[in-house]
């Protein structure tokens, strides 16, 4: 078995596992016992592939960005997850998990959300399937992300404010878990490759369609399945896991994960987990996370709401620790510049999260003439207010 697959207890090397309250054990065990069988079943594959094609719009194009390539002296392809229904890669996962929930006979879906992107992707598939949807969201985030709250409500989801702690993502997660304990009949739909086993592996398998398509598309367009490097941004790590998945064993392909450095890695306002974090347990999984001397979680910061998570999934902790992936980072300012650059060179407005992946292009060494794929995880419509605010600083 590949060392990049978790063992039977959900460990990638020393990272992973399932650190959960005993009351949740039956739920997690039920999922663990069934997820692989369900995903591999013909019925699931048929529904999943059908929805990805006709509802999401897959395969997403692999686009040769000629003007960007010219600027950096490399052959740069963009994997266009921004063109998916709902505007990002997140829907690949929510479509897959809603089908798994249905196979398990669940009728009520529970999720937590920070910026609201995962909440919207979850509310979308619940509407599609006619299932009840309840989304926990920090009170502060509800105020900051009004358009996504409106979307979720329009889609029929119940949005519950989390009023404890800093009233942001980690508090929403805590309250969602508390709700799950009290309502074990619900299905908890996690939005990234985080949480207790089997979630990281399950979400990685559902996002793996990204690299499955990439191999076919690269072969068609370049004659080879393998590029020299794949670059993706990392919040929890799901778009990167999907973009890396079928390449992890191909050691000739460099995997480059990009974290958000906020105002600077050592500024105290950052989300560069691999640089600042240490081994600990967060949201049910042993991984690398930002914590203080007492093991309390340090509040992360990034201009991009999708990247300010204080941990990374256990697969990424393992890719970092084993040096299979190179971890780089980009500040708010570098990401903003990269977003405006892509927009002006290619007519594509990327999500702020994605802009971090683009921002390492000027920093790469030794890639002249090489083939790179950047996973364009999402579109920038949701970030227009932030872009407008910085427009004058960046464009003369
Ligand atoms: C949520 C989000 C991310 C970060 O999540 P991952 O699980 O690390 O992929 C990145 N890009 C976009 C567009 C997002 O919406």
């Amino acid at each position: 078995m590949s060392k990049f697959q978790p063992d039977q207890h959900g460990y990638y090397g020393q990272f992973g596992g399932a650190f959960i309250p005993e009351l949740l054990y039956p739920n997690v065990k039920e999922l663990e016992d069934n997820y692989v069988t369900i995903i591999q079943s013909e019925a699931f594959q048929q529904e999943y592939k059908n929805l990805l094609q006709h509802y999401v719009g897959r395969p997403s194009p692999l686009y040769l960005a000629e003007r960007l390539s010219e600027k950096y002296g490399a052959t740069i392809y963009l994997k266009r997850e921004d063109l998916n229904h709902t505007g990002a890669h997140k829907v690949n996962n929510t479509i897959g998990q809603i089908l798994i929930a249905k196979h398990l006979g669940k009728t009520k879906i529970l999720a937590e959300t920070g910026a609201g992107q995962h909440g919207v992707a979850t509310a979308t598939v619940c509407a599609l399937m006619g299932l009840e949807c309840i989304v926990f969201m920090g009170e502060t985030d509800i105020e900051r992300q009004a358009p996504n709250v409106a979307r979720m409500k329009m889609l029929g989801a119940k949005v519950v404010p989390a009023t404890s702690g800093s009233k942001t993502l980690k508090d929403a997660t805590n309250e969602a878990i508390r709700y799950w304990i009290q309502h074990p009949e619900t299905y908890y739909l996690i939005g990234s490759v985080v949480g207790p086993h089997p979630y990281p592996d399950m979400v990685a398998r559902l996002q793996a369609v990204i690299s499955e398509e990439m191999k076919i598309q690269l072969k068609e367009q370049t004659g080879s399945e393998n590029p020299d490097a794949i670059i993706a941004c990392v919040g929890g790590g799901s778009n990167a896991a999907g973009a890396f998945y079928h390449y992890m064993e191909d050691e000739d392909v460099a995997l480059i994960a990009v974290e958000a450095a906020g105002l600077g890695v050592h500024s105290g306002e950052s989300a560069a987990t691999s640089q600042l974090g240490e081994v600990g347990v967060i949201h049910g999984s042993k991984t690398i996370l930002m914590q203080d001397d007492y093991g309390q979680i340090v509040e992360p910061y990034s201009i991009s709401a999708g990247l300010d998570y204080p941990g990374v999934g256990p697969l990424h902790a393992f890719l970092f620790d084993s040096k299979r992936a190179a971890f780089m980072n980009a500040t708010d300012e570098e990401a903003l510049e990269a977003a405006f650059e892509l927009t002006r060179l290619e007519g594509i407005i990327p999500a702020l999260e994605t802009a971090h992946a683009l921002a390492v292009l000027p920093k790469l060494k030794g890639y002249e003439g090489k083939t790179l794929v950047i996973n364009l995880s999402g579109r920038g419509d949701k970030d227009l207010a932030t872009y407008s605010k910085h427009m004058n600083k960046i464009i003369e």
Side-chain angles (χ1 to χ4, degrees):
M1 199 177 75
S2 159
K3 65 179 175 196
F4 300 107
Q5 300 289 332
D7 67 19
Q8 58 168 336
H9 302 295
Y11 280 88
Y12 303 86
Q14 62 159 316
F15 304 107
F19 297 79
I20 48 169
E22 202 177 323
L23 289 166
L24 287 180
Y25 182 75
N27 291 35
V28 174
K29 183 83 170 87
E30 180 189 31
L31 188 60
E32 187 189 339
D33 288 345
N34 291 291
Y35 81 107
V36 174
T37 317
I38 294 174
I39 290 178
Q40 289 175 349
S41 72
E42 205 172 309
F44 173 90
Q45 282 297 326
Q46 226 173 34
E47 284 176 290
Y48 179 57
K49 290 276 152 76
N50 185 54
L51 285 171
L52 288 183
Q53 184 182 348
H54 300 292
Y55 186 71
V56 174
R58 304 200 71 91
S60 65
L62 184 75
Y63 165 68
L64 172 59
E66 287 192 25
R67 297 188 66 209
L68 190 69
S69 298
E70 197 178 316
K71 163 122 200 212
Y72 289 102
T75 305
I76 304 174
Y77 287 90
L78 304 176
K79 181 61 173 156
R80 300 290 308 276
E81 294 300 299
D82 60 313
L83 294 177
N84 293 340
H85 177 46
T86 67
H89 66 289
K90 284 193 171 73
V91 72
N92 304 325
N93 169 47
T94 57
I95 292 262
Q97 282 197 62
I98 202 85
L99 292 174
I100 290 171
K102 273 182 59 176
H103 279 258
L104 291 171
K106 310 283 179 181
T107 55
K108 192 164 166 184
I109 305 298
L110 167 67
E112 88 283 325
T113 195
Q117 295 300 109
H118 173 58
V120 169
T122 304
T124 299
V125 297
C126 286
L128 176 69
M129 298 294 170
L131 297 181
E132 196 182 333
C133 181
I134 170 161
V135 180
F136 282 85
M137 186 169 185
E139 207 168 40
T140 309
D141 289 334
I142 288 181
E143 285 161 22
R144 289 192 292 200
Q145 311 287 341
N148 277 340
V149 176
R151 281 185 191 106
M152 284 185 269
K153 288 186 173 163
M154 185 162 175
L155 288 159
K158 185 172 166 209
V159 180
V160 183
T163 53
S164 59
S166 55
K167 306 184 172 81
T168 58
L169 178 62
K170 80 176 160 46
D171 313 291
T173 305
N174 291 339
E175 295 195 23
I177 289 174
R178 194 171 308 144
Y179 182 92
W180 197 22
I181 292 171
Q182 288 158 358
H183 302 84
E185 77 285 1
T186 50
Y187 179 88
Y188 189 11
L189 206 160
I190 293 184
S192 189
V193 284
V194 300
H197 178 64
Y199 282 96
D201 182 47
M202 179 170 66
V203 176
R205 285 171 189 249
L206 296 173
Q207 292 291 0
V209 63
I210 299 173
S211 48
E212 187 185 318
E213 289 173 4
M214 249 187 222
K215 284 209 158 183
I216 297 165
Q217 293 167 321
L218 276 170
K219 176 91 184 162
E220 274 170 15
Q221 295 186 42
T222 70
S224 165
E225 284 187 347
N226 289 7
D228 295 298
I230 301 170
I231 306 172
C233 65
V234 173
S238 69
N239 87 86
F244 296 167
Y245 198 89
H246 292 287
Y247 290 101
M248 288 190 292
E249 302 270 341
D250 300 342
E251 301 275 348
D252 58 321
V253 181
L255 306 177
I256 301 173
V258 186
E259 295 178 315
L263 303 184
V265 173
H266 300 291
S267 65
E269 298 289 332
S270 169
T273 306
S274 70
Q275 306 306 305
L276 299 169
E278 281 170 61
V279 177
V281 172
I282 181 172
H283 299 149
S285 153
K286 186 175 168 196
T287 186
I288 299 174
L289 63 127
M290 288 163 52
Q291 52 190 319
D292 65 16
D293 293 345
Y294 301 96
Q296 292 296 314
I297 290 165
V298 171
E299 200 70 32
Y301 165 79
S302 163
I303 192 170
S304 124
L307 299 185
D308 66 354
Y309 182 70
V312 287
L315 167 62
H316 293 286
F318 181 66
L319 291 173
F320 173 72
D321 199 46
S322 64
K323 301 197 165 61
R324 173 63 187 95
F327 278 66
M328 298 180 73
N329 55 72
T331 62
D332 289 358
E333 207 174 304
E334 290 166 339
L336 284 167
E337 275 170 25
F340 283 97
E341 179 178 85
L342 183 75
T343 305
R344 290 298 175 95
L345 287 177
E346 300 289 346
I348 297 170
I349 301 177
L352 262 170
E353 290 82 3
T354 315
H356 288 73
L358 296 158
V360 301
L361 284 172
K363 306 184 200 183
L364 290 178
K365 302 240 153 54
Y367 282 99
E368 290 79 15
K370 299 280 170 70
T371 301
L372 313 177
V373 178
I374 298 173
N375 197 36
L376 214 77
S377 57
R379 67 176 87 126
D381 306 35
K382 68 182 178 61
D383 300 313
L384 274 185
T386 309
Y387 287 147
S388 299
K389 219 162 74 189
H390 294 85
M391 195 97 65
N392 298 333
K393 260 193 280 171
I394 306 222
I395 300 172
E396 61 294 347

